[in-house]
């Protein structure tokens, strides 16, 4: 009983950001591929919005071991070292590949891809195309995708992974008209990106709703380190509707200074050595502390100033920042930007092997929806690199899976039946999804933000669980997806709170006001937090 | 919070009725964009279909028309009374248009032998054309797309960017030619609509046409124009006694001298429509403006630039620069010449003003009101090329009843009338419909190309704005003469 029949391919890739498209390109070398995109492919996710850059060791004076050391230190040693090794060793090839495919990165004075310093790096390692690096990558990847036989299904959102005898065998999806579609595959790559849209203030695109975490979790996959949410230090704070919009780290990479309302360059109190180019967790906490202690601006931010830089530098290297602030009447060449932390990136995610296999057979994951690469705090510039390195790895692993009989088995049919009943419940529901999501975002900002404690997290979790019990309403079939998305967001929020409660220490982005363990990160007894349908807990490292 | 009412276009594909505007009252925060109003509307009415994603101008998902003009919903401030409609492309539902087929016509880079990043100069030469977010705005406003198989402005932008890129293996000039390179009328509607301010005509299409010229792909009719400029200094053949043979080099005004302009006549007004230029001179004389006409002047070069034939350009530019160097103010009345002098000539030692600007600056003697209803056709090279729209309307309102019609290219520009007559004719016919819909009795414009072309696509008289003014002055004179002559019994 499948509307419009089932679509069958060797590999199904879910998500059309940098990781998804890279996975699809790679998988196409091994067989038929369907790329399922919630948005128009290439426009969704956070890759096209990624501004600052892509970390890769390209020059003599740098070395992959330095990149690895920076990534591990920045990640408070919670990273999976095998994943870090893959990242630092393959990021250069992947960026060279993008260049060969036509990416227009900025050029260094001596030729080759230009690189600039980003936070937490011992060498300038961040490749860039002005401050529209991700957009340039996405354009390049879409060009390459067009040269493959990958079938792209636009504006069709996966709502559930389909399981057959413990294997992931495809996904159920809703199209723009609210029709249920079935996509069968021998292997599935989840590349659905992040989910900080569960916070009131977020940099993410509207598609950053954490669908991959929710789909994976419901399919039985294990997730790790879900408490590790990166608050980007610099988000716009006004006007109201633009709050949280990313102000790229490239602003500080180019020499931007952070000032409090007293005009103090306050980073000297928090990290005198690295100053503004400290890691994001440190800078975000510093800004939050300045604001909490009364040295913020009237609107609750701090100043980020590039007025001392030559205007041409701002125009050439930060054109998007210039354009976005000008649109709101602020000329950043002449006046400082007003900024505050904003929820940006989820370091945690599906547990993967270096081959991107999750704990569910047939299911692979890459990009932000996977966990382990960045540990407890991601370095700026490592996410774009991650999309390419692990996108390719996931595509390859999925492509190498053996061919199987792809059919709607009784087990799959039962899942589809359950899904239809869920849809009927939505059509019969009471609460509009936007109402639930609004309350969810405030709850999370309040209880699971930059500074956390047991009581706050527990209260947030209780609030989230209450929201999960509300009966979502779809006005028409076309609104079913909004209900599914709200449900995914609630589940993600729950995972973040639960993982936060599991980790009793301050580690990277996870700042507890009530830590019971105060050992430095490199001597912490704790490993990953883990959550799955089967169990949840925190790994303890035996010493 | 601010309360406001906005109207949103609603369209159900299967309902069998056309789109309708529905008013919604919403509350938004200060500084809200159109997208935030749409969020609020969607909360009231979840059936509203609209598309959005990044919310920060980077993905190009949310382009809509706001009060008729395309813009990204996430970047366009929302104002009470706004009318929000889908882009002028096939509509799927409400504000959602069928964008993917349009995006798919944008070419992809095909890697060749070179895998390295080009040098800085090459990268700089294509960088600003990489800003495109493929929102569809330019395609939706392009007149050539509406009437032909033109792949669209952003497709040309991409072909030019690939043409420059040594990594690309394909012949993009041939592809551009086959995708309608010569269908672009140079109306600049794409630039006006582009949220990233990409000058597609100047930075892509003209460059591709220049490359096509080097490759020998210039259309035969365009080559003829270039030959004419070489041999006669003019881009059109004489069909009338040229203006220069009818006038003195200095024409004094009727009354005291209030000002002086050096008149850059242009090929059309000198060779094809000299009577219109004479009308204009009469209006200037009547308003105290001395008209000096340097006789050495030649074609401004616009027909060469627009068709990519650049070899003679330095020569004509030098002649014109020298001919007009002694004069502080150079006046054009051809929209194309004016836009070219203002935008393509660099560091001119004089100020260039369109005749509408000249008359506005000096102020005109009040004309009589003619009992006639007219509509005004905005010449693209006046409206978008020079930013002149209100001045001519102010004059028209003094002499006639003005009924507006949407500003849209008539099809005469960019070498399309000569090179792709079928495209020009199809656009001319669209103008015919738009003119007819106004109910006007006459069409007024301020560009010889538009005037000439539209005249072939309407049964109404097509007049230059100065001809209309002159008629109004003559009527005024008649009235005054009648008043001063005692009625004879």
């Amino acid at each position: 009983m499948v509307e419009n029949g089932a679509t069958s391919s060797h590999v199904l890739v879910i998500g059309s950001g940098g990781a998804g498209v890279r996975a699809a390109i790679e998988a196409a070398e091994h067989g038929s591929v369907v790329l399922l995109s919630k948005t128009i492919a290439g426009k969704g996710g956070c890759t096209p919005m990624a501004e600052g850059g892509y970390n890769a060791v390209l020059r003599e004076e740098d070395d992959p071991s330095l990149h690895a050391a920076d990534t591990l230190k920045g990640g408070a040693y919670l990273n999976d070292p095998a994943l870090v090794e893959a990242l630092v060793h393959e990021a250069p090839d992947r960026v060279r590949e993008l260049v060969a495919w036509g990416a227009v990165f900025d050029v260094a004075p001596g030729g080759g891809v230009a690189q600039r310093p980003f936070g937490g790096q011992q060498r300038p390692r961040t490749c860039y195309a002005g401050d529209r690096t991700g957009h340039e990558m996405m354009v390049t990847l879409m060009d390459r995708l067009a040269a493959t036989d990958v079938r792209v299904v636009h504006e069709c959102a996966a709502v559930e992974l389909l399981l057959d005898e413990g294997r992931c065998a495809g996904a159920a999806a809703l199209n723009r008209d609210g029709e249920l579609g079935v996509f069968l595959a021998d292997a599935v790559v989840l590349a659905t990106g992040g989910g900080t849209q569960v916070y009131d203030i977020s940099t993410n695109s509207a598609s950053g709703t954490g669908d991959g975490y929710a789909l994976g979790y419901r399919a039985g996959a294990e997730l790790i380190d879900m408490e590790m949410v990166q608050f980007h230090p610099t988000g716009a704070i006004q006007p109201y509707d633009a709050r949280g919009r990313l102000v790229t780290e490239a602003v500080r990479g180019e020499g931007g200074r952070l000032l409090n309302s007293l005009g103090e360059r306050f980073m000297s109190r928090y990290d005198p050595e690295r100053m503004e180019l400290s890691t994001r967790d440190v800078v975000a906490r510093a800004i939050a502390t300045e604001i909490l202690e009364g040295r913020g601006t009237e609107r609750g931010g701090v100043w980020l100033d590039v007025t001392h830089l030559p205007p041409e530098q701002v125009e050439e290297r930060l054109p998007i920042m210039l354009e976005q602030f000008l649109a709101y009447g602020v000329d950043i060449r002449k006046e400082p930007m007003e900024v505050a932390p904003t929820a940006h990136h989820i370091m945690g995610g599906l547990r993967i092997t270096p081959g991107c296999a999750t704990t569910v057979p047939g299911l692979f994951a890459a990009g932000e929806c996977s966990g382990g690469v960045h540990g407890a705090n991601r370095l700026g510039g490592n996410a774009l690199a991650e999309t390419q390195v692990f996108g390719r790895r996931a595509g390859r692993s999925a492509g190498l899976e053996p061919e199987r009989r792809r059919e709607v088995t009784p087990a799959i049919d039962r899942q589809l039946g359950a899904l239809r009943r869920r849809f009927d419940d939505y059509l019969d529901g009471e609460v509009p999804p936007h109402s639930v999501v609004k309350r969810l975002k405030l709850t999370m900002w309040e209880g699971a933000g930059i500074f956390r404690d047991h009581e706050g997290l527990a209260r947030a979790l209780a609030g989230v669980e209450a929201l999960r019990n509300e009966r979502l309403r779809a006005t028409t079939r076309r609104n079913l997806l909004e209900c599914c998305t709200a449900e995914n967001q609630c589940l993600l929020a729950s995972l973040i709170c639960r993982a936060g409660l599991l980790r009793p220490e301050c580690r990277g982005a996870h700042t507890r006001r009530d830590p019971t363990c105060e050992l430095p990160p490199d001597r912490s007894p704790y490993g990953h937090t883990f959550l799955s349908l089967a169990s949840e807990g925190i790994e303890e490292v035996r010493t | 919070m601010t309360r406001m009412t906005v109207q949103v276009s609603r369209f159900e594909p299967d309902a069998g009725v056309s789109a309708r505007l529905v008013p919604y009252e919403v509350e938004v925060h200060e500084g809200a964009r159109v997208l935030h109003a749409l969020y609020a509307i969607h909360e009231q009415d979840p059936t509203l279909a609209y598309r959005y994603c990044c919310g920060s101008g980077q993905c190009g998902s949310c382009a809509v028309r706001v009060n008729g003009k395309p813009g990204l919903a996430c970047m366009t401030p929302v104002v009470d009374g706004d009318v929000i409609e889908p882009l002028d492309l096939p509509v799927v539902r409400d504000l959602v248009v069928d964008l993917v087929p349009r995006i798919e016509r944008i070419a992809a880079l095909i890697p060749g032998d070179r895998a390295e990043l080009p040098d800085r100069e090459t990268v700089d030469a294509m960088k600003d054309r990489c800003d495109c977010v493929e929102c569809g705005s330019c395609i939706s406003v392009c007149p050539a797309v509406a009437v032909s198989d033109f792949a669209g402005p952003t497709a040309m932008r991409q072909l030019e960017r690939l043409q420059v890129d040594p990594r690309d293996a394909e012949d993009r000039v041939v592809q551009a030619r086959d995708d309608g390179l010569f269908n672009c009328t140079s109306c600049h509607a794409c630039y006006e609509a582009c949220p990233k301010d990409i000058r597609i005509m100047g930075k892509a299409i003209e460059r591709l046409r220049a490359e096509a010229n080097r490759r020998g792909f210039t259309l035969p009719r365009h080559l003829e124009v270039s030959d004419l400029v070489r041999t006669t200094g003019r881009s059109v053949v004489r069909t009338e006694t040229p203006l220069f043979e009818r006038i003195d080099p200095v024409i004094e005004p009727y009354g005291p001298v209030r000002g002086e302009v050096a008149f850059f006549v242009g090929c059309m007004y000198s060779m094809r429509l000299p009577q219109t230029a004479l009308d204009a001179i009469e209006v200037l004389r009547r308003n105290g403006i001395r008209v000096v006409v340097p006789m050495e002047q030649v074609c401004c070069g616009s027909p060469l630039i627009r068709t990519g034939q650049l070899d003679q350009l330095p020569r004509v530019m030098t002649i014109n620069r020298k001919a007009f160097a002694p004069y502080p103010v150079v006046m054009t009345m051809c929209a194309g010449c004016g836009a070219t002098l203002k935008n393509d000539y660099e560091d001119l030692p004089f100020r260039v003003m369109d005749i509408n600007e000249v008359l506005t600056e000096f102020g005109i003697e009040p004309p009589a009101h003619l009992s006639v209803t007219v509509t005004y056709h905005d010449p693209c090279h006046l409206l978008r090329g020079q930013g002149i729209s209100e001045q001519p309307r102010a004059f028209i309102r003094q002499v006639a009843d003005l009924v507006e019609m949407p500003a849209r290219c008539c099809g005469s520009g960019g070498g399309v009338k000569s090179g792709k007559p079928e495209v020009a004719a199809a656009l001319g016919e669209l103008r015919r419909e738009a003119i007819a819909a106004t109910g006007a009795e006459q069409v007024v414009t301020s560009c010889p190309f538009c005037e000439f072309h539209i005249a072939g696509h309407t049964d109404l008289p097509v007049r230059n704005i100065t001809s209309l003014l002159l008629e109004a002055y003559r009527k005024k004179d008649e009235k005054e003469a009648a008043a001063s002559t005692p009625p004879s019994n």
Side-chain angles (χ1 to χ4, degrees), chain A residues 43 99 102-104 135 143 155 206 240 316 324 328 479, chain B residues 29 33 46 51 53 56 59 109 120 132-134 161 167:
Chain A
K43 291 189 180 298
V99 168
V104 183
H135 175 251
D143 273 11
E155 299 186 300
Y240 179 83
E316 190 189 330
Q324 288 180 344
Y328 295 108
N479 303 99
Chain B
H29 290 94
R33 310 282 121 167
R51 192 186 268 140
C53 194
S56 55
C59 76
L109 185 139
R120 188 176 168 133
C132 175
V133 292
E134 300 177 1
R161 170 247 179 278
R167 291 169 294 185

mmCIF file of all heavy atoms in Angstrom, chain A residues 43 99 102-104 135 143 155 206 240 316 324 328 479, chain B residues 29 33 46 51 53 56 59 109 120 132-134 161 167:
data_model
loop_
_atom_site.group_PDB
_atom_site.id
_atom_site.type_symbol
_atom_site.label_atom_id
_atom_site.label_comp_id
_atom_site.label_asym_id
_atom_site.label_seq_id
_atom_site.Cartn_x
_atom_site.Cartn_y
_atom_site.Cartn_z
ATOM 1 N N LYS A 43 20.093 24.204 -1.555
ATOM 2 C CA LYS A 43 19.707 25.420 -0.850
ATOM 3 C C LYS A 43 19.508 25.181 0.644
ATOM 4 O O LYS A 43 19.419 26.119 1.419
ATOM 5 C CB LYS A 43 18.414 25.991 -1.439
ATOM 6 C CG LYS A 43 18.598 26.553 -2.848
ATOM 7 C CD LYS A 43 17.362 27.294 -3.303
ATOM 8 C CE LYS A 43 17.520 27.870 -4.697
ATOM 9 N NZ LYS A 43 18.595 28.856 -4.815
ATOM 10 N N VAL A 99 38.719 22.313 -5.658
ATOM 11 C CA VAL A 99 39.384 23.256 -6.564
ATOM 12 C C VAL A 99 39.379 22.695 -7.988
ATOM 13 O O VAL A 99 39.063 23.396 -8.945
ATOM 14 C CB VAL A 99 40.819 23.558 -6.084
ATOM 15 C CG1 VAL A 99 41.607 24.286 -7.166
ATOM 16 C CG2 VAL A 99 40.788 24.392 -4.806
ATOM 17 N N GLY A 102 36.263 23.195 -9.701
ATOM 18 C CA GLY A 102 35.895 24.555 -10.088
ATOM 19 C C GLY A 102 35.633 25.539 -8.970
ATOM 20 O O GLY A 102 35.238 26.672 -9.240
ATOM 21 N N ALA A 103 35.840 25.160 -7.719
ATOM 22 C CA ALA A 103 35.557 26.105 -6.630
ATOM 23 C C ALA A 103 36.454 27.340 -6.746
ATOM 24 O O ALA A 103 37.639 27.229 -7.036
ATOM 25 C CB ALA A 103 35.782 25.424 -5.279
ATOM 26 N N VAL A 104 35.858 28.485 -6.515
ATOM 27 C CA VAL A 104 36.590 29.743 -6.613
ATOM 28 C C VAL A 104 36.939 30.219 -5.203
ATOM 29 O O VAL A 104 36.272 31.069 -4.627
ATOM 30 C CB VAL A 104 35.770 30.803 -7.382
ATOM 31 C CG1 VAL A 104 36.569 32.090 -7.531
ATOM 32 C CG2 VAL A 104 35.393 30.274 -8.764
ATOM 33 N N HIS A 135 28.897 28.550 0.518
ATOM 34 C CA HIS A 135 28.113 28.768 -0.700
ATOM 35 C C HIS A 135 28.928 28.361 -1.921
ATOM 36 O O HIS A 135 28.435 27.683 -2.816
ATOM 37 C CB HIS A 135 27.693 30.237 -0.773
ATOM 38 C CG HIS A 135 26.986 30.598 -2.055
ATOM 39 N ND1 HIS A 135 27.577 31.375 -3.013
ATOM 40 C CD2 HIS A 135 25.770 30.273 -2.534
ATOM 41 C CE1 HIS A 135 26.742 31.513 -4.025
ATOM 42 N NE2 HIS A 135 25.634 30.859 -3.765
ATOM 43 N N ASP A 143 27.383 21.388 -9.084
ATOM 44 C CA ASP A 143 27.896 21.218 -10.447
ATOM 45 C C ASP A 143 28.318 19.769 -10.671
ATOM 46 O O ASP A 143 28.010 19.162 -11.685
ATOM 47 C CB ASP A 143 29.135 22.112 -10.667
ATOM 48 C CG ASP A 143 28.744 23.511 -11.134
ATOM 49 O OD1 ASP A 143 27.542 23.837 -11.075
ATOM 50 O OD2 ASP A 143 29.634 24.273 -11.542
ATOM 51 N N GLU A 155 12.554 18.793 -2.272
ATOM 52 C CA GLU A 155 11.425 19.131 -1.401
ATOM 53 C C GLU A 155 10.609 17.911 -1.013
ATOM 54 O O GLU A 155 9.396 17.863 -1.175
ATOM 55 C CB GLU A 155 10.578 20.221 -2.069
ATOM 56 C CG GLU A 155 11.404 21.482 -2.282
ATOM 57 C CD GLU A 155 10.611 22.649 -2.808
ATOM 58 O OE1 GLU A 155 10.049 22.520 -3.897
ATOM 59 O OE2 GLU A 155 10.561 23.693 -2.135
ATOM 60 N N ALA A 206 16.427 27.236 8.486
ATOM 61 C CA ALA A 206 15.157 26.641 8.930
ATOM 62 C C ALA A 206 15.208 25.121 8.862
ATOM 63 O O ALA A 206 14.412 24.441 9.503
ATOM 64 C CB ALA A 206 14.018 27.162 8.068
ATOM 65 N N TYR A 240 15.133 42.165 16.267
ATOM 66 C CA TYR A 240 14.684 40.963 16.951
ATOM 67 C C TYR A 240 14.687 39.734 16.047
ATOM 68 O O TYR A 240 15.208 38.680 16.411
ATOM 69 C CB TYR A 240 13.271 41.204 17.499
ATOM 70 C CG TYR A 240 12.684 40.000 18.203
ATOM 71 C CD1 TYR A 240 13.005 39.738 19.532
ATOM 72 C CD2 TYR A 240 11.844 39.114 17.530
ATOM 73 C CE1 TYR A 240 12.487 38.622 20.177
ATOM 74 C CE2 TYR A 240 11.322 38.006 18.160
ATOM 75 C CZ TYR A 240 11.640 37.757 19.484
ATOM 76 O OH TYR A 240 11.133 36.664 20.110
ATOM 77 N N GLU A 316 36.480 43.144 0.786
ATOM 78 C CA GLU A 316 36.921 41.977 0.035
ATOM 79 C C GLU A 316 36.764 40.673 0.811
ATOM 80 O O GLU A 316 36.336 39.661 0.272
ATOM 81 C CB GLU A 316 38.387 42.146 -0.384
ATOM 82 C CG GLU A 316 38.803 41.061 -1.377
ATOM 83 C CD GLU A 316 40.291 41.040 -1.656
ATOM 84 O OE1 GLU A 316 40.903 42.119 -1.573
ATOM 85 O OE2 GLU A 316 40.825 39.949 -1.932
ATOM 86 N N GLN A 324 24.955 42.221 5.094
ATOM 87 C CA GLN A 324 23.893 41.916 6.055
ATOM 88 C C GLN A 324 23.728 43.038 7.077
ATOM 89 O O GLN A 324 22.610 43.403 7.427
ATOM 90 C CB GLN A 324 24.188 40.588 6.761
ATOM 91 C CG GLN A 324 23.996 39.379 5.834
ATOM 92 C CD GLN A 324 24.295 38.062 6.518
ATOM 93 O OE1 GLN A 324 24.914 38.034 7.577
ATOM 94 N NE2 GLN A 324 23.861 36.968 5.927
ATOM 95 N N TYR A 328 20.610 46.390 7.755
ATOM 96 C CA TYR A 328 19.970 46.859 8.991
ATOM 97 C C TYR A 328 20.557 48.191 9.445
ATOM 98 O O TYR A 328 20.505 48.561 10.615
ATOM 99 C CB TYR A 328 20.096 45.798 10.091
ATOM 100 C CG TYR A 328 19.340 44.532 9.762
ATOM 101 C CD1 TYR A 328 19.995 43.363 9.421
ATOM 102 C CD2 TYR A 328 17.945 44.526 9.766
ATOM 103 C CE1 TYR A 328 19.292 42.207 9.099
ATOM 104 C CE2 TYR A 328 17.236 43.376 9.459
ATOM 105 C CZ TYR A 328 17.907 42.223 9.125
ATOM 106 O OH TYR A 328 17.203 41.090 8.810
ATOM 107 N N ASN A 479 0.534 19.975 6.019
ATOM 108 C CA ASN A 479 1.117 20.381 7.292
ATOM 109 C C ASN A 479 1.627 19.199 8.120
ATOM 110 O O ASN A 479 2.158 19.392 9.223
ATOM 111 C CB ASN A 479 0.097 21.185 8.112
ATOM 112 C CG ASN A 479 -0.403 22.390 7.353
ATOM 113 O OD1 ASN A 479 -1.475 22.357 6.757
ATOM 114 N ND2 ASN A 479 0.386 23.441 7.336
ATOM 115 N N HIS B 29 7.752 42.317 14.839
ATOM 116 C CA HIS B 29 8.705 43.115 15.597
ATOM 117 C C HIS B 29 9.280 44.220 14.733
ATOM 118 O O HIS B 29 9.274 44.132 13.502
ATOM 119 C CB HIS B 29 9.840 42.229 16.112
ATOM 120 C CG HIS B 29 9.429 41.282 17.183
ATOM 121 N ND1 HIS B 29 9.036 39.982 16.898
ATOM 122 C CD2 HIS B 29 9.326 41.433 18.512
ATOM 123 C CE1 HIS B 29 8.717 39.376 18.036
ATOM 124 N NE2 HIS B 29 8.882 40.232 19.033
ATOM 125 N N ARG B 33 11.292 41.504 8.506
ATOM 126 C CA ARG B 33 11.345 41.353 7.052
ATOM 127 C C ARG B 33 10.040 40.704 6.588
ATOM 128 O O ARG B 33 9.257 40.193 7.409
ATOM 129 C CB ARG B 33 12.532 40.457 6.662
ATOM 130 C CG ARG B 33 13.836 40.881 7.301
ATOM 131 C CD ARG B 33 14.477 42.071 6.610
ATOM 132 N NE ARG B 33 14.654 43.186 7.526
ATOM 133 C CZ ARG B 33 15.406 44.254 7.281
ATOM 134 N NH1 ARG B 33 16.054 44.369 6.159
ATOM 135 N NH2 ARG B 33 15.478 45.235 8.142
ATOM 136 N N PRO B 46 -2.329 28.051 8.441
ATOM 137 C CA PRO B 46 -1.271 27.089 8.084
ATOM 138 C C PRO B 46 -1.357 26.584 6.650
ATOM 139 O O PRO B 46 -0.467 25.860 6.206
ATOM 140 C CB PRO B 46 -1.484 25.935 9.072
ATOM 141 C CG PRO B 46 -2.334 26.485 10.158
ATOM 142 C CD PRO B 46 -3.174 27.540 9.535
ATOM 143 N N ARG B 51 8.167 29.407 0.521
ATOM 144 C CA ARG B 51 9.422 28.677 0.578
ATOM 145 C C ARG B 51 10.456 29.564 1.249
ATOM 146 O O ARG B 51 10.510 30.763 0.997
ATOM 147 C CB ARG B 51 9.845 28.336 -0.849
ATOM 148 C CG ARG B 51 10.960 27.347 -0.958
ATOM 149 C CD ARG B 51 11.381 27.216 -2.422
ATOM 150 N NE ARG B 51 10.712 26.160 -3.149
ATOM 151 C CZ ARG B 51 10.286 26.287 -4.416
ATOM 152 N NH1 ARG B 51 10.447 27.400 -5.062
ATOM 153 N NH2 ARG B 51 9.708 25.282 -5.021
ATOM 154 N N CYS B 53 14.480 29.226 3.685
ATOM 155 C CA CYS B 53 15.382 28.307 4.374
ATOM 156 C C CYS B 53 16.382 29.046 5.264
ATOM 157 O O CYS B 53 16.240 29.041 6.471
ATOM 158 C CB CYS B 53 16.100 27.370 3.408
ATOM 159 S SG CYS B 53 16.878 26.004 4.279
ATOM 160 N N SER B 56 18.863 34.367 5.856
ATOM 161 C CA SER B 56 19.885 35.405 5.902
ATOM 162 C C SER B 56 20.451 35.734 4.515
ATOM 163 O O SER B 56 21.602 36.105 4.384
ATOM 164 C CB SER B 56 21.011 34.980 6.853
ATOM 165 O OG SER B 56 21.512 33.715 6.466
ATOM 166 N N CYS B 59 20.657 31.546 0.657
ATOM 167 C CA CYS B 59 20.286 30.321 -0.060
ATOM 168 C C CYS B 59 19.409 30.572 -1.272
ATOM 169 O O CYS B 59 19.315 29.726 -2.148
ATOM 170 C CB CYS B 59 19.610 29.319 0.883
ATOM 171 S SG CYS B 59 17.901 29.711 1.299
ATOM 172 N N LEU B 109 30.197 23.472 -14.218
ATOM 173 C CA LEU B 109 31.584 23.409 -14.679
ATOM 174 C C LEU B 109 31.944 21.965 -15.012
ATOM 175 O O LEU B 109 31.662 21.055 -14.251
ATOM 176 C CB LEU B 109 32.526 23.968 -13.608
ATOM 177 C CG LEU B 109 34.014 24.077 -14.001
ATOM 178 C CD1 LEU B 109 34.591 25.388 -13.464
ATOM 179 C CD2 LEU B 109 34.825 22.908 -13.487
ATOM 180 N N ARG B 120 45.327 34.934 -9.192
ATOM 181 C CA ARG B 120 44.482 35.885 -8.506
ATOM 182 C C ARG B 120 43.702 36.774 -9.473
ATOM 183 O O ARG B 120 42.520 37.083 -9.261
ATOM 184 C CB ARG B 120 45.350 36.751 -7.586
ATOM 185 C CG ARG B 120 44.487 37.617 -6.717
ATOM 186 C CD ARG B 120 45.246 38.420 -5.719
ATOM 187 N NE ARG B 120 44.267 39.382 -5.207
ATOM 188 C CZ ARG B 120 44.067 39.653 -3.950
ATOM 189 N NH1 ARG B 120 44.777 39.082 -3.045
ATOM 190 N NH2 ARG B 120 43.142 40.520 -3.584
ATOM 191 N N CYS B 132 25.937 34.655 -6.985
ATOM 192 C CA CYS B 132 24.536 34.324 -7.302
ATOM 193 C C CYS B 132 24.013 33.230 -6.366
ATOM 194 O O CYS B 132 24.662 32.212 -6.164
ATOM 195 C CB CYS B 132 24.436 33.855 -8.743
ATOM 196 S SG CYS B 132 22.805 33.270 -9.215
ATOM 197 N N VAL B 133 22.791 33.459 -5.814
ATOM 198 C CA VAL B 133 22.177 32.447 -4.954
ATOM 199 C C VAL B 133 21.034 31.713 -5.670
ATOM 200 O O VAL B 133 20.267 30.998 -5.046
ATOM 201 C CB VAL B 133 21.688 33.045 -3.607
ATOM 202 C CG1 VAL B 133 22.884 33.472 -2.765
ATOM 203 C CG2 VAL B 133 20.739 34.210 -3.814
ATOM 204 N N GLU B 134 20.971 31.904 -6.976
ATOM 205 C CA GLU B 134 20.007 31.183 -7.807
ATOM 206 C C GLU B 134 18.586 31.291 -7.258
ATOM 207 O O GLU B 134 17.899 30.292 -7.078
ATOM 208 C CB GLU B 134 20.450 29.713 -7.957
ATOM 209 C CG GLU B 134 21.815 29.618 -8.616
ATOM 210 C CD GLU B 134 22.363 28.196 -8.739
ATOM 211 O OE1 GLU B 134 21.676 27.247 -8.332
ATOM 212 O OE2 GLU B 134 23.505 28.050 -9.240
ATOM 213 N N ARG B 161 31.217 33.234 -16.346
ATOM 214 C CA ARG B 161 32.136 32.849 -15.273
ATOM 215 C C ARG B 161 32.918 31.584 -15.683
ATOM 216 O O ARG B 161 34.123 31.491 -15.447
ATOM 217 C CB ARG B 161 31.324 32.627 -13.981
ATOM 218 C CG ARG B 161 32.090 31.995 -12.820
ATOM 219 C CD ARG B 161 31.519 30.608 -12.577
ATOM 220 N NE ARG B 161 32.190 29.895 -11.503
ATOM 221 C CZ ARG B 161 33.341 29.221 -11.658
ATOM 222 N NH1 ARG B 161 33.969 29.218 -12.814
ATOM 223 N NH2 ARG B 161 33.883 28.567 -10.653
ATOM 224 N N ARG B 167 39.796 26.092 -15.784
ATOM 225 C CA ARG B 167 39.541 24.705 -15.409
ATOM 226 C C ARG B 167 38.391 24.098 -16.200
ATOM 227 O O ARG B 167 38.211 22.892 -16.224
ATOM 228 C CB ARG B 167 39.218 24.610 -13.912
ATOM 229 C CG ARG B 167 40.409 24.918 -13.044
ATOM 230 C CD ARG B 167 39.994 25.087 -11.592
ATOM 231 N NE ARG B 167 39.139 26.267 -11.413
ATOM 232 C CZ ARG B 167 38.709 26.698 -10.246
ATOM 233 N NH1 ARG B 167 39.031 26.052 -9.151
ATOM 234 N NH2 ARG B 167 37.952 27.779 -10.158
#
